[in-house]
Every structure is written in structure tokens, then in C-alpha cells.
Amino acid sequence: MPLFLLNARDKPGALDVRMSNRPAHLDWAKAHADRILMAGPVFADDGETFAGSTFVVEFDSLRDAEAWAAQDPYAKAGLFASVEIMPFKWLLGEGKPSA
């Protein structure tokens, strides 16, 4: 199944939106764990301030990945300033799925 890299960046000053929607976001992600190969928050240069979210996911098509991402409670709450989803090929690293 094709892989997709999703990079979403928070709007500046939206920490309250992130934190108030975090439980729903985590529940949503856990419900789709079968499609998620890697996921986690990204941080600003200080290493502490939330700056966004990154996923590597499996879907049949880019359109399917986009539709899935649109259902993220963070996306629905308007947290993200930008979301980039693109085909991804995992070449190296522990956890790499077998081809």
C-alpha cells in the first residue's frame, strides 16, 4: 500500500486550540493506528513549543489520505496554518515496512 507523509503546521498562537482538542485528536489517531506507521508532534526551535504534527500513513491514494486528514479533530478545529500531504518512500530506518 502506498505511503504518504503528512506535515501539518499550527497557526501561530493556537496552543489553546491544540490543547483543547488534543484528547479527541489522540483518540482519532488511535482509532486509525492500523494506517499510521509513525506520528508525533513537531516543535519550534526551543524544543518545547508545539509547532505542528507529522504522520507517515498508508492509504490507497493521495485522495484517501487527504480525506482522512480532513477528519482529524485538529483540522476540524482550524488548528493548522498549512497541511502538506505527499507520496513518501521509506528507504532507511528501524521500523521500515517490508516491501
Side-chain angles (χ1 to χ4, degrees):
M1 185 174 296
L3 300 179
F4 297 90
L5 174 67
L6 183 152
N7 281 310
R9 295 300 168 256
D10 295 0
K11 291 177 181 173
L15 181 60
D16 58 331
V17 175
R18 174 175 277 275
M19 298 314 290
S20 65
N21 287 280
R22 191 165 194 259
H25 166 78
L26 293 175
D27 288 345
W28 170 82
K30 288 175 187 174
H32 298 279
D34 59 322
R35 297 206 172 264
I36 300 170
L37 282 80
M38 184 281 303
V42 295
F43 297 92
D45 292 342
D46 65 11
E48 296 179 13
T49 304
F50 285 107
S53 300
T54 295
F55 290 83
V56 174
V57 295
E58 292 182 301
F59 281 95
D60 290 328
S61 69
L62 177 59
R63 180 172 286 177
D64 290 342
E66 291 169 340
W68 173 80
Q71 296 306 307
D72 182 344
Y74 282 165
K76 288 182 169 186
L79 172 63
F80 301 130
S82 66
V83 176
E84 181 179 46
I85 304 172
M86 64 194 79
F88 177 77
K89 183 169 184 170
W90 192 332
L91 290 179
L92 298 171
E94 189 173 332
K96 177 184 177 268
S98 57

